[in-house]
Amino acid sequence: MSTPPPAPSAPSRPVTVVTGGSRGIGAATAVHLARQGHDLVVGYRSGRLEAEAVVTAARDLGVRAVAVRADVADPDDVDALFAAAAEQLGPVTGLVANAGLTAHLGDLADTPVEVVRQVIDVNLLGVVLCVRRAAQVMSRRRGGPGGAIVTVSSSAATLGSAHEYVHYAAAKAGVDALTMGLAKELADDGVRVNAVAPGLVRTDIHAGAGDAGRLERVTARVPMGRPGEPDEIAPAIAWLLGPEAGYVSGAVLRVAGGL
Ligand code: NAP
């Protein structure tokens, strides 16, 4: 009598890092991914209590989750973020490079250089550093498990955001180019790379730029006549991360109510 084949081991859950997971689109995405069975690292810069609330919500859905403080514009913090993920949850298989800010509203000529630098540091350099680290740990050629990366861009990348924050739009256009190029670099390495480009979404980002009323003020520009909600962005990110998007890489998926 032949020996029966070994029972298949249970598939391990995806381990996904979400930067800027404490609020807004990142928090909604983390909870959505928890519902789909992802173990999670919820990255944040200053909102520890908010990040811990997201972790609690994820754990209540039956997954493992930890909150890790990391400034995405700091390479040492980014390394520590991925090290904490590997130590506490196992090999990382997914990244949502979501952390971002607009910081200030106005014409470029009136925008202080330090604001321009901060916006480019967080929205572009921060994404570059995070996807670089993800490529190092996820690439199959380098001994990683493979996986998927989703960057969070913006409709600003193609609209330009005149009189608001053209430097932010430029940073997001950089994210689109980075996404396309890295997708090609990693296409035969088991890692897919895509972007989601939201339009106008109801989060604290507008108040963070000093204009809590911006959402209402610019809603008229949105063809659907209303802002989006974070819960309407999260499923697009989750789909791009997941197996149903297995042949999708290098795409920028606009989720912007027609904007
Ligand atoms: P949000 O509610 O203001 O949340 C921003 C998140 O990013 C927070 O978790 C914040 O952490 C984190 N963050 C900011 N700077 C960071 C840094 N240096 N290092 C690490 N984390 C940092 O903003 P949101 O609207 O959800 O934005 C999420 C992404 O969507 C951003 O990339 C944004 O550009 C993009 N987006 C937003 C809209 C919109 O209308 N809301 C439209 C298009 C694109 P703390 O809580 O710790 O500060």
Side-chain angles (χ1 to χ4, degrees):
M1 203 171 135
S2 62
T3 323
S9 57
S12 56
R13 285 201 294 251
V15 173
T16 302
V17 175
V18 181
T19 67
S22 54
R23 289 188 279 121
I25 293 168
T29 300
V31 172
H32 193 94
L33 292 174
R35 235 176 256 127
Q36 294 187 342
H38 290 241
D39 289 333
L40 291 169
V41 175
V42 176
Y44 67 96
R45 181 192 45 176
S46 56
R48 184 174 61 83
L49 293 179
E50 291 96 329
E52 281 171 1
V54 173
V55 163
T56 300
R59 287 181 182 159
D60 287 349
L61 290 162
V63 299
R64 298 180 301 157
V66 293
V68 179
R69 201 209 73 81
D71 182 340
V72 293
D74 180 329
D76 293 336
D77 276 15
V78 170
D79 284 354
L81 175 69
F82 279 83
E87 277 159 26
Q88 297 184 53
L89 299 178
V92 173
T93 60
L95 167 68
V96 182
N98 162 78
L101 80 179
T102 46
H104 172 96
L105 281 161
D107 286 6
L108 182 62
D110 299 320
T111 307
V113 171
E114 59 270 24
V115 171
V116 172
R117 193 184 297 279
Q118 180 198 19
V119 165
I120 293 174
D121 272 358
V122 176
N123 291 289
L124 181 55
L125 178 65
V127 176
V128 173
L129 293 175
C130 289
V131 301
R132 174 180 176 274
R133 195 75 190 103
Q136 289 171 347
V137 300
M138 285 162 54
S139 151
R140 288 205 178 123
R141 256 201 301 273
R142 295 168 191 265
I149 296 169
V150 177
T151 57
V152 178
S153 176
S154 171
S155 57
T158 54
L159 297 174
S161 300
H163 307 300
E164 292 200 309
Y165 27 62
V166 294
H167 50 296
Y168 168 84
K172 292 298 192 182
V175 168
D176 288 0
L178 172 76
T179 301
M180 183 188 57
L182 192 65
K184 289 177 180 160
E185 228 168 84
L186 298 177
D188 63 352
D189 213 1
V191 182
R192 297 180 300 101
V193 190
N194 293 288
V196 164
L200 181 70
V201 185
R202 191 187 308 279
T203 72
D204 293 342
I205 201 169
H206 313 289
D211 183 2
R214 178 176 180 267
L215 199 75
E216 285 67 37
R217 209 164 31 74
V218 302
T219 288
R221 294 183 203 156
V222 182
M224 283 191 187
R226 65 171 181 87
E229 302 295 334
D231 283 339
E232 294 179 296
I233 311 301
I237 295 173
W239 178 74
L240 284 169
L241 269 189
E244 287 188 344
Y247 197 56
V248 184
S249 202
V252 179
L253 175 55
R254 206 174 183 89
V255 187
L259 199 63

